[in-house]
Amino acid sequence: MDLRINALGSQAPTGVGQSAMKRPAATGAVGGQFAESFKTTLKSVSAAQTEASNLQTQVQLGNPAVSLEQTMLAMQKSQIGFQATLHVRNRMVQAYTDIMNMSV
């Protein structure tokens, strides 16, 4: 069974005839890829929240170079990113709980 999580650009399924050297040696490689992807996503969400906060401060200070529309858009982007990340976290916690409650 192939447990790899493919990037969006490489959605080709792994066939039986393909070389075994292309597959990860252990499931740790899959976990590492997921962990790196999740870490990158968290950094992106954090950057969006920081940008929105900085834009809010600039609007409050009356900076004419920063528009209210730009600030509201940045706030919505950061809120959507945070909510999506929160849902992924909740699903991961639920999956962990389900696995821990399985009888062996």
Side-chain angles (χ1 to χ4, degrees):
M1 179 164 80
D2 189 9
L3 298 175
R4 284 187 291 163
I5 298 174
N6 295 326
L8 292 177
S10 60
Q11 288 294 326
T14 304
V16 177
Q18 291 182 338
S19 172
M21 293 187 339
K22 293 182 182 179
R23 295 182 185 168
T27 57
V30 173
Q33 291 173 356
F34 179 77
E36 284 299 316
S37 176
F38 196 65
K39 187 184 299 185
T40 303
T41 302
L42 287 175
K43 286 181 182 180
S44 173
V45 169
S46 178
Q49 288 178 331
T50 302
E51 178 188 359
S53 178
N54 290 339
L55 289 174
Q56 281 178 326
T57 303
Q58 292 300 316
V59 166
Q60 290 171 352
L61 292 174
N63 186 350
V66 179
S67 68
L68 182 61
E69 294 84 8
Q70 179 185 13
T71 304
M72 295 301 290
L73 184 63
M75 289 171 53
Q76 287 298 316
K77 283 182 181 180
S78 70
Q79 183 179 11
I80 290 170
F82 179 75
Q83 287 175 350
T85 305
L86 188 64
H87 286 299
V88 169
R89 192 239 7 186
N90 290 343
R91 292 284 181 134
M92 288 173 47
V93 169
Q94 183 63 43
Y96 176 79
T97 304
D98 291 346
I99 290 171
M100 287 292 112
N101 290 332
M102 284 182 183
S103 59
V104 181

